[in-house]
Amino acid sequence: MKEYFDFSSAGFITTKFENYFGEKNSPWGQKKPALYQHTDLVDWIGLPVFIKDFELKKTENTKLYFSALGCVEIYINGKRTDFGEMKPGWSDYNKRALYWEEDISDFVVPGKNRILAVVSPGWYCGRIAGGWYGENPPSVIIAVRNGKKVAAETDTSWVCNVCGQIRTADIWDGEYRDNRETDYTVMSETGYDVSKWKKAKVFNYKGEVTPFIGSKVKRRDRLSLKPENIKVSNGTEFNGTHFGKLTISNPDASLPLKVQRGEKVTVDFGQETVGRLHIRFRAAEGVAVKMRYAEFLNDSGDIDRGNDGPDGSVYTINLRSALGKAYCVAGKEKTTDYAPTFTFFGYRYVEISSEDSFEIVSLKAEVVGNDNIEIGKIETSDELVNKLISNALWGQRGNYLSVPTDCPQRDERLGWTGDAQAFSITAGYNADVYGFFRKWMQDMRDSQGKRGGYADVNPRVGVCNSENACAWGDAGVIIPYNMYMLYGDKTILKEHYDSMEKYIKGLIADFGMSGPVPRYGDWLAYDWCDNRFVSSAYFVHDCDLMIKISEALGKKDRAEYYTSLRAKAQKYFSDKFLKNGKPKEKTQCNKILALAFNLVEDKYKQKLADELEKQIRDNGNLLSCGFLGTYNLCPTLSLYGKDKMAYNLLLQRKEPSWLYSVDQGSTTIWERWNSYTKEKGFGDVGMNSFNHYAYGSVVEWMYRYMAGIEPAAPGFRELKLQPRIDLRTADELPEGQKNIKWVKASYNSASGLIKSEWNTEKGLVYKCTVPKGVKCTLTLPAVSDTITVNGVKQDISGETVDFELKGGNYTFIQK
Ligand code: BGC
């Protein structure tokens, strides 16, 4: 157990300057940053900078504790510390700020030392916060300790200024840096004169300052990307459309690259990612290089196809009010190295230009996100499916940034609960996200309403201050349970239990048995089912999970309570939404949820599953559901033995389907099934993100059914291997589809490494690795009369063959 540092003797400090977000010098001419209107990023007055000199006798065991209301970078004795990005991360600042503890023994010296902190508005008072956490300027709290002795802590003996190279920084809008200003490294040298700086002001923070939990946001160097293509254009030409097209003067430029005034350089990284461009350029002092980030390029210049500029130019209208830009003004140095510090972008393309000539030396896409260790891998014989798997993984890498965001680019980037719960199992297979979600559940508790309602976005912010939405708020029950099942650790359940109870209690008090507010429903479905059906279904599901969670925690009486509550919730559901034992309404989602959440009597289940299958087949093997139906779709089909239909859907290429967007050129999962189509161009611009992971939830099915790695007990202490092989016969294959011939999956579970691989090129070969000490059952389809198990032949009869396996490696061959 880590020592809990008590910050109570220290205070947050802030600047005394009225003009930080005050009227005087505000570039937006308004007091509240949340309300500013703009058309471009501006060169403002810098960010709040705080400095303190302190003495140390010895350097060993010097620890730094820091938190900020905003995002902070720390410099010590002329060096920038490199502890992570966007520190300390987002929390519900009305309740809590998170502190980090870092060893700085290597940064300090015996004798005089200087520490500098520069703080940006970040999630605290940047535009994203919408004024929700008050109208205070960014603040910081710091303590330096040597052994047990406090060497420095924030108080009025710190000096402050609003200055420095980063002139403006905002999560949505971007960053403006001017290297002609003094570098923070220089300011943080003990010799730099700060005698004219003002004393810091103590800020009376009402929240708690608690240790950071979970994984941290880092620059993930192993994922950095190089440009795939660089184009230079020098104007526009008429092509018969509204905006025309860029005149490309060099379609495939290489670096270093001299750029003239009037030229635009468009860099394609070949992959939508999240983070920032790291550029090195040569330019005369005072030359401003401008970077515009975008997810897509305009495809024609045609306004009817949703284009917002000439063919080949960056498409940015879908960022809505977010500017997504960066400026860097060259200082005296011959070569400028620039990567934004206090912002991030969701992008694949960057347009680089200037009013003056300059030379680009190098370009790199630095990936920024929670450093969740990737523990799962799936590969198949189908390249398009592999691309889909990669798209989902990149969606996760980009959108798990301090909180699970809906999207990383437009004026949103919020912790939307519905999206997060839909994708949470996929995420938990791809990477170890236990700590990440433990932290986010803390955010949910902090933002929980007085009557128990979970906010639709967490941490709660002004731009979306609603709560209790069905399938969204329910994330507060669903995610802890999913994390427990995947990782086997009960801490998240224990920490969150009272909060979940409060949520359910609030729902009953406010809505009786009808469930949470029917606000979003099967979001973005082609065939929308009644939101009230969804509410009621999720309420029964909540009760089911509360029974299991209560049992896991040994709370027998509560489990009994939720069992009786479930019966009441089920009765409400059945009375209202079922007829002859089955859903009255006829959408796919009605059937999917009824089956997935166990809402129909056993005797009707198989029949309902058959009807679901038929309905999809009659629809041309096309799904028609949105966020909710989709994540439950394939697992439900497989649960009822409809693996063949699950494969039909997986390999479908018509709209709407997963591979449809792959065919349209996706490199991440899109918000809509038709966010972009080659046929019609860009989808509804009011809400059109090209990095929205919810539909990537099909990867859950791939791990659990296609590869068949399923926990039979929490944390895979017991394992169920249930690979569902693509056994569709030639006459069963929908037109244009081919079978998946092989699948290889591995998962470094909480109980050890699991592997599951199958190949149907010659008979059926299945290989698996079961971790030591894990009890495992395996079910394989019988495709022959005999099977050899690690070389030993045995006869089989029936449609499937079952094995009980201990830890080890196995090969099963059916010829
Ligand atoms: C977000 C979604 C979210 C939704 C609520 C959108 O603006 O981007 O992903 O779940 O609002 O319906």
Side-chain angles (χ1 to χ4, degrees), residues 406-407 410 412 416 419 472 520 523 627 671 687 692:
D406 56 334
C407 57
R410 69 175 177 225
E412 209 148 356
W416 276 103
D419 313 41
W472 267 244
Y520 309 117
W523 190 242
F627 282 20
E671 181 167 23
M687 218 184 65
H692 233 80

Side-chain angles (χ1 to χ4, degrees), residues 42-209:
V42 284
D43 175 9
W44 197 22
I45 53 174
L47 298 177
V49 181
F50 303 87
I51 282 180
K52 170 78 181 172
D53 293 337
F54 61 94
E55 299 278 338
L56 281 180
K57 286 212 173 82
K58 57 178 185 60
T59 59
E60 305 85 70
N61 199 16
T62 307
K63 291 269 173 63
L64 169 71
Y65 301 83
F66 67 92
S67 183
L69 303 172
C71 293
V72 62
E73 272 296 309
I74 291 171
Y75 293 74
I76 299 169
N77 296 332
K79 272 189 252 155
R80 176 179 170 170
T81 59
D82 196 9
F83 302 136
E85 304 293 328
M86 306 298 289
K87 300 176 287 286
W90 195 355
S91 57
D92 186 334
Y93 301 106
N94 289 335
K95 294 275 169 60
R96 177 195 310 275
L98 302 165
Y99 78 77
W100 287 34
E101 175 186 336
E102 297 289 344
D103 193 292
I104 51 164
S105 306
D106 291 343
F107 286 90
V108 290
V109 291
K112 193 171 173 185
N113 291 272
R114 175 171 287 185
I115 183 164
L116 176 153
V118 49
V119 200
S120 77
W123 291 285
Y124 174 65
C125 52
R127 281 221 295 142
I128 194 168
W132 188 249
Y133 309 114
E135 286 155 26
N136 306 300
S139 311
V140 66
I141 191 165
I142 292 176
V144 175
R145 280 211 305 193
N146 186 264
K148 288 235 168 335
K149 251 183 79 191
V150 176
E153 60 184 327
T154 39
D155 56 22
T156 52
S157 71
W158 288 56
V159 292
C160 64
N161 204 347
V162 176
C163 61
Q165 295 188 336
I166 302 175
R167 312 299 292 165
T168 317
D170 184 80
I171 288 173
W172 283 352
D173 289 341
E175 198 174 279
Y176 194 112
R177 186 176 187 115
D178 188 340
N179 280 354
R180 290 171 301 181
E181 300 289 333
T182 312
D183 193 338
Y184 305 109
T185 52
V186 173
M187 289 184 215
S188 71
E189 282 165 8
T190 46
Y192 183 78
D193 183 11
V194 290
S195 57
K196 300 233 163 53
W197 287 31
K198 297 197 179 168
K199 276 184 166 188
K201 178 164 112 179
V202 169
F203 173 74
N204 185 15
Y205 178 55
K206 300 252 168 24
E208 278 185 279
V209 187

